[in-house]
Amino acid sequence: MSDVWEFREQVPHDGQRWGQWRFDEKTSGLEYEDEEGDCLLRIELTSIDGSARMLDWIFWMSGHEWYTRHDLADLIEAFDGIFYPRANLCPNGCDQAMDAKKYLHVMSGMGKFEHEPVAA
């Protein structure tokens, strides 16, 4: 298991949306919300420790009729934006394990860098 990860240039931030899916940085969750903002489904992102767990969620969704194809595509986009799976979970088709809790902690810190004002 590696603690060396690649991240997208723009890491997701708290509240970022992919369709009906919303990233909750505080709880490390990905929540599927209805039009009123009520959470109908929550994916605990710290449980995504490899590509098999991610695929399990994708195929679990495809087995239910309450979602749309757009919801499933948005879930895949969310997973891609958060985990960058081709680099971190299955580079060159090889399954990799990851400590998702550590990964999400590092990722959330990357999105919070504040630049000091430069003195004139």
Side-chain angles (χ1 to χ4, degrees):
M1 182 180 323
S2 173
D3 285 350
V4 177
W5 305 293
E6 291 185 40
F7 296 90
R8 297 269 184 208
E9 187 174 323
Q10 295 286 316
V11 296
H13 55 81
D14 187 44
Q16 183 164 340
R17 293 189 156 283
W18 297 268
Q20 300 293 110
W21 297 95
R22 185 182 63 80
F23 177 51
D24 185 342
E25 185 179 309
K26 293 174 210 70
T27 64
S28 298
L30 188 59
E31 299 180 345
Y32 180 84
E33 297 177 335
D34 63 14
E35 285 74 28
E36 289 80 40
D38 294 324
C39 180
L40 302 177
L41 175 69
R42 184 171 189 285
I43 297 173
E44 177 60 47
L45 294 174
T46 57
S47 71
I48 309 281
D49 59 359
S51 56
R53 294 260 188 204
M54 188 176 290
L55 279 171
D56 187 49
W57 274 109
I58 292 167
F59 286 107
W60 182 86
M61 283 283 296
S62 72
H64 292 80
E65 295 179 13
W66 54 266
Y67 78 99
T68 68
R69 289 183 181 266
H70 292 288
D71 295 330
L72 185 58
D74 291 336
L75 174 62
I76 293 168
E77 288 286 326
F79 281 156
D80 188 44
I82 294 167
F83 288 106
Y84 196 6
R86 292 207 56 217
N88 296 308
L89 295 175
C90 53
N92 299 313
C94 298
D95 195 28
Q96 296 254 278
M98 97 170 349
D99 183 333
K101 188 174 183 177
K102 274 187 186 178
Y103 174 87
L104 292 164
H105 178 75
V106 170
M107 185 190 74
S108 70
M110 291 180 66
K112 294 180 180 169
F113 286 126
E114 294 185 31
H115 299 285
E116 297 286 328
V118 178

